[in-house]
Amino acid sequence: MKKVLAVSGIAALLAGCGSSYQWDEVTTSKGSKGKPTAIYVDKKTKEPVSGTIIWKEGDTLISEFKVKNGKVQGDWVTHNADGSVAIEAQLDDGQLTGTTTVYCSGGEKKPQQRIVIAGKKQTDSQFDCASGLQTREEVTVHEEGSKQNGRTLAQSAWRVVNGEQVPAVVANYDKDGSGQLDGVQETFYPTGQVQERKHYNQGKLEGLQEEFVLLDDGTYRLRKVTAYKDGQRDGDSIQYFASPDWPEKTVEKRETYAAGQDTGKTVIYRELDVQVLVPYQDVPPNHYKLKEALAGKSTRDGYVADVESLKYLLQASDIDLNKPLVAEAELPVHYVAENAYDMLVSLGADPLKTTAEGNTRLMMCLKNAWRDCSDAHFDQLLALSNAKTANLFGNTPLHELCKSNSLTKERPELGQRLIASQDINAVNYAGQTALHYCITQRDKTVANALIAAGADLDKADYSGVTPVQLVFLRDPRLGRQKQVSWDAARIQYVGGLLGKSTFNFEAPFPGFDKSLKQLMIEASDAQSAMLVDSLAANKG
């Protein structure tokens, strides 16, 4: 018995120096079996082993590596079933050091991942196996005893598109190893164009944040800019129109902030007009009932208010008549019933005031045709010094008249009065004149009056569409899909304008690669195409 014990003791000593272990003789006390950073122990005794571990699967040698006190020491090389190298690494006391490389499958020994450790700094790189191009790089710093995986110093990522490397993400971090973003951070579209760009200062957004849009047609432009200070929105936040119909950097929405709080009005430019949202805190207590009394009730003669009762209430109330009575509403002078208008002005309401959108009382009468302002009241408003004022969208009273199908049809005499007092070729925010809107109406009375007064038939808006071309598009809004339609009446109408316009039925039509005549032919509409030919012959 003693002799057997002596032999066993010697075997134990030898195992500590240079024993070898088969794969099924060991397990791990920490980490997964087959990982270089695991701690390997004897399967029976659970004690850390020292020596050489031979890892075989069947007849295939996967790896042969040395361990000391259960921790891998020196080179670590693993192989695939076909004998090709899968991983190469160097370890010191169970910790990765130097360069670790994970290879793509196959015998070409192309890297899929590479980790380089130099002191406290670790650089982790990843690669695309098909092309061999790098797709990611992250630099981190590791402190001894830290429970964190590491604090990031820099980060970059790429996509492989058509065999070429294009950027995906670039991020910069504070050089002190704190792991806080510091400097520029950019993300990219698959094309390599910037999608978003942010600026950081010690982990907080600082300066301008930019967002870019890439449309299906290849249009690439700045979409939004937001100013930050100390991690909060501070200054203007501006959103631009994405559609290529609008000139680049045309503002669609503007907001203003201070220390993260909305401090001013929000201006939103729509396809045809503008909207302004006013912070509620800038509005006095709501007076809904008084607002309703000022607006009046609908009668056969339009909206009518009880003037005497209103006058009493307004004089008895401590109300500023030149401020909104209700949050996000116009001033009293803009919606007061016509029969109470003079009384309101006599009490101090300024008739020249505009709404937050820049609309005058005249504009509000035109925009709200259902209010049915009388001819006498229109004459009264046209006599004011702000009768030619355009709103923030650039729409003049003439634009607003032409936007209303009911007014152009039922009150064409208004068109004549406005034409006499307005710049008929004034353009709005979309580059459109009043004729762009009037010519789309079924009733062309006001449109014809504009043309007779010298309105420019060939003035193109920002999407390149002229008033004559709108006869066949029927929708003046920018950024909308262009759908062309025609009939004999519209063809005849435009035919009568050919002597005053450069329009040509055989010229390329906006939004299409073909002429209007060619579109008619492709639609098998011979009658319309022949009508076009006859109009061209008569013009000649």
Side-chain angles (χ1 to χ4, degrees):
M1 179 67 67
K2 290 183 179 180
K3 185 176 181 180
V4 172
L5 286 175
V7 171
S8 299
I10 294 171
L13 289 172
L14 289 173
C17 297
S19 299
S20 64
Y21 299 85
Q22 298 302 314
W23 193 238
D24 59 357
E25 294 178 323
V26 296
T27 185
T28 61
S29 63
K30 180 181 178 182
S32 301
K33 191 177 179 182
K35 298 294 184 183
T37 52
I39 296 178
Y40 291 86
V41 298
D42 187 287
K43 185 178 286 188
K44 293 180 179 179
T45 66
K46 305 303 180 187
E47 293 294 323
V49 297
S50 297
T52 301
I53 296 177
I54 301 170
W55 176 8
K56 278 188 176 183
E57 292 185 4
D59 293 331
T60 303
L61 178 64
I62 302 300
S63 184
E64 186 174 326
F65 55 93
K66 295 185 182 300
V67 292
K68 183 178 180 180
N69 294 324
K71 299 177 181 179
V72 178
Q73 187 74 28
D75 292 337
W76 167 284
V77 181
T78 60
H79 299 82
N80 298 306
D82 62 1
S84 60
V85 177
I87 302 173
E88 288 183 328
Q90 292 84 43
L91 292 98
D92 182 15
D93 197 29
Q95 298 295 314
L96 291 170
T97 184
T99 301
T100 299
T101 307
V102 179
Y103 293 97
C104 301
S105 59
E108 297 181 26
K109 213 174 180 184
K110 290 164 58 175
Q112 181 178 2
Q113 183 182 16
R114 180 179 290 129
I115 300 172
V116 178
I117 298 174
K120 297 178 181 179
K121 190 167 73 172
Q122 175 175 313
T123 303
D124 188 341
S125 304
Q126 296 181 18
F127 302 85
D128 174 59
C129 287
S131 64
L133 296 172
Q134 188 174 1
T135 59
R136 186 175 180 84
E137 180 174 285
E138 184 173 15
V139 181
T140 53
V141 62
H142 296 255
E143 297 290 346
E144 230 176 281
S146 172
K147 294 183 180 180
Q148 298 178 348
N149 291 329
R151 294 190 295 276
T152 306
L153 295 178
Q155 189 179 74
S156 298
W158 299 266
R159 295 183 181 92
V160 177
V161 181
N162 298 324
E164 295 185 359
Q165 184 192 58
V166 295
V169 178
V170 173
N172 292 285
Y173 293 78
D174 200 320
K175 291 182 174 57
D176 65 2
S178 63
Q180 294 181 325
L181 286 162
D182 194 81
V184 179
Q185 181 190 41
E186 293 179 318
T187 58
F188 300 82
Y189 286 104
T191 56
Q193 294 162 299
V194 176
Q195 181 175 11
E196 186 176 52
R197 179 183 292 126
K198 299 178 180 179
H199 297 265
Y200 286 88
N201 181 22
Q202 294 184 337
K204 294 182 179 180
L205 284 166
E206 189 76 23
L208 295 182
Q209 175 183 331
E210 299 168 294
E211 298 174 31
F212 298 83
V213 65
L214 178 62
L215 304 181
D216 291 340
D217 65 358
T219 298
Y220 173 74
R221 54 171 54 183
L222 184 62
R223 175 63 167 154
K224 189 174 182 180
V225 175
T226 303
Y228 281 85
K229 184 177 181 181
D230 198 28
Q232 296 180 313
R233 286 186 289 187
D234 195 275
D236 283 344
S237 177
I238 304 173
Q239 179 172 298
Y240 301 102
F241 279 105
S243 168
D245 286 327
W246 294 88
E248 194 167 5
K249 293 186 180 180
T250 301
V251 176
E252 180 181 17
K253 182 178 179 181
R254 182 190 299 271
E255 300 171 286
T256 305
Y257 293 84
Q261 299 298 313
D262 187 350
T263 63
K265 61 186 180 183
T266 297
V267 183
I268 306 170
Y269 293 92
R270 306 294 188 187
E271 295 156 320
L272 299 177
D273 214 333
V274 65
Q275 180 185 9
V276 176
L277 306 179
V278 180
Y280 285 98
Q281 62 266 28
D282 292 347
V283 179
N286 291 322
H287 301 282
Y288 288 102
K289 292 294 183 181
L290 187 55
K291 180 181 184 295
E292 290 175 0
L294 278 164
K297 295 182 179 180
S298 179
T299 69
R300 291 182 179 180
D301 298 321
Y303 279 76
V304 177
D306 183 342
V307 178
E308 290 304 316
S309 297
L310 263 179
K311 186 174 182 179
Y312 174 82
L313 288 173
L314 293 173
Q315 288 178 322
S317 304
D318 184 21
I319 292 173
D320 188 340
L321 295 178
N322 291 308
K323 287 186 176 180
L325 297 183
V326 178
E328 294 190 19
E330 298 83 18
L331 303 178
V333 75
H334 299 125
Y335 55 77
V336 67
E338 184 180 321
N339 70 314
Y341 174 81
D342 289 334
M343 178 274 294
L344 189 68
V345 172
S346 70
L347 293 181
D350 186 350
L352 302 181
K353 284 281 189 180
T354 61
T355 67
E357 290 83 7
N359 294 310
T360 62
R361 166 78 178 189
L362 172 61
M363 294 277 278
M364 297 304 291
C365 278
L366 293 165
K367 289 170 74 71
N368 303 322
W370 48 270
R371 297 287 292 182
D372 199 23
C373 294
S374 68
D375 288 346
H377 192 49
F378 272 117
D379 287 338
Q380 180 183 16
L381 299 176
L382 282 167
L384 295 175
S385 60
N386 64 355
K388 295 183 180 181
T389 299
N391 66 11
L392 295 184
F393 194 81
N395 283 334
T396 67
L398 198 50
H399 281 90
E400 291 302 334
L401 172 73
C402 287
K403 284 167 60 180
S404 171
N405 189 51
S406 61
L407 283 177
T408 54
K409 182 179 180 180
E410 299 166 10
R411 307 278 292 274
E413 72 284 350
L414 265 178
Q416 292 289 0
R417 292 208 288 276
L418 288 172
I419 288 169
S421 66
Q422 305 286 316
D423 176 2
I424 60 174
N425 286 314
V427 296
N428 63 12
Y429 199 67
Q432 298 165 330
T433 66
L435 186 57
H436 276 86
Y437 300 100
C438 261
I439 210 163
T440 63
Q441 307 292 8
R442 291 185 180 276
D443 188 293
K444 299 289 195 293
T445 304
V446 179
N448 291 337
L450 278 165
I451 294 168
D456 189 348
L457 287 162
D458 298 319
K459 178 64 179 177
D461 64 16
Y462 289 144
S463 65
V465 177
T466 68
V468 180
Q469 291 161 340
L470 272 172
V471 174
F472 302 105
L473 290 174
R474 307 293 294 172
D475 190 344
R477 291 173 291 181
L478 269 63
R480 291 300 180 98
Q481 182 179 6
K482 293 179 174 61
Q483 296 179 328
V484 67
S485 59
W486 61 82
D487 53 43
R490 280 184 273 177
I491 294 171
Q492 288 280 15
Y493 180 75
V494 171
L497 302 175
L498 294 180
K500 301 177 181 179
S501 168
T502 61
F503 177 80
N504 188 333
F505 281 100
E506 300 196 36
F509 199 86
F512 300 85
D513 296 330
K514 302 166 184 176
S515 69
L516 192 58
K517 179 183 173 181
Q518 184 61 36
L519 292 172
M520 294 173 182
I521 293 171
E522 292 182 3
S524 298
D525 187 355
Q527 294 298 319
S528 293
M530 288 189 292
L531 178 56
V532 166
D533 288 341
S534 68
L535 292 171
N538 291 335
K539 180 184 177 184

